[in-house]
Amino acid sequence: MSNDDDTATASGASRGAGLPEFAATPAARQLNPDLEMILDIPVRLSMEVGNTQISIRDLLQLGQGSVIELDRLAGEPLDVLVNGTLIAHGEVVVVNDKFGIRMTDVISASERIRKLG
């Protein structure tokens, strides 16, 4: 898989994922024209199922078939991160035999900007 396969485009679709192009949101249409030049910069989009902390001793004992308990309950929404910053929550879907995510709760642009500063 190339790096481009899992890099989100400015339109919101993931290259190679078979997902439809998304129309610009009202917030995107109201952007300052000076921001137009950054709209095609690729960003890393990732989903987090959960996490946990384990000791190095336990880490070294992991093998095929090992199960690691995460901090999230089954059925809870996944975190959607852009460059490591939480932007939404969603649920896993399958699109053309590939995993995708349906956004269930998107953090507002103003809230995301507030968290950056």
Side-chain angles (χ1 to χ4, degrees):
M1 176 186 292
S2 73
N3 195 22
D4 287 346
D5 288 340
D6 52 16
T7 301
T9 63
S11 65
S14 177
R15 293 183 193 133
L19 297 174
E21 293 289 322
F22 296 106
T25 62
R29 285 190 290 267
Q30 297 172 3
L31 287 176
N32 183 327
D34 293 337
L35 297 178
E36 184 69 30
M37 71 174 114
I38 68 167
L39 294 180
D40 291 326
I41 296 173
V43 295
R44 173 72 54 192
L45 181 70
S46 59
M47 278 48 93
E48 185 175 286
V49 175
N51 59 66
T52 193
Q53 287 188 346
I54 63 173
S55 68
I56 293 174
R57 178 182 320 282
D58 291 341
L59 178 65
L60 293 173
Q61 292 176 355
L62 293 176
Q64 186 172 352
S66 295
V67 175
I68 302 170
E69 183 177 346
L70 301 176
D71 64 348
R72 191 162 300 185
L73 297 173
E76 273 190 74
L78 287 82
D79 291 341
V80 180
L81 307 158
V82 171
N83 291 346
T85 300
L86 180 67
I87 63 146
H89 296 99
E91 59 191 21
V92 176
V93 295
V94 176
V95 180
N96 298 328
D97 294 327
K98 294 187 178 183
F99 288 116
I101 189 160
R102 176 180 296 119
M103 304 293 200
T104 57
D105 178 36
V106 178
I107 298 171
S108 71
S110 59
E111 180 67 17
R112 286 178 280 182
I113 291 169
R114 187 185 67 75
K115 286 183 178 183
L116 292 175

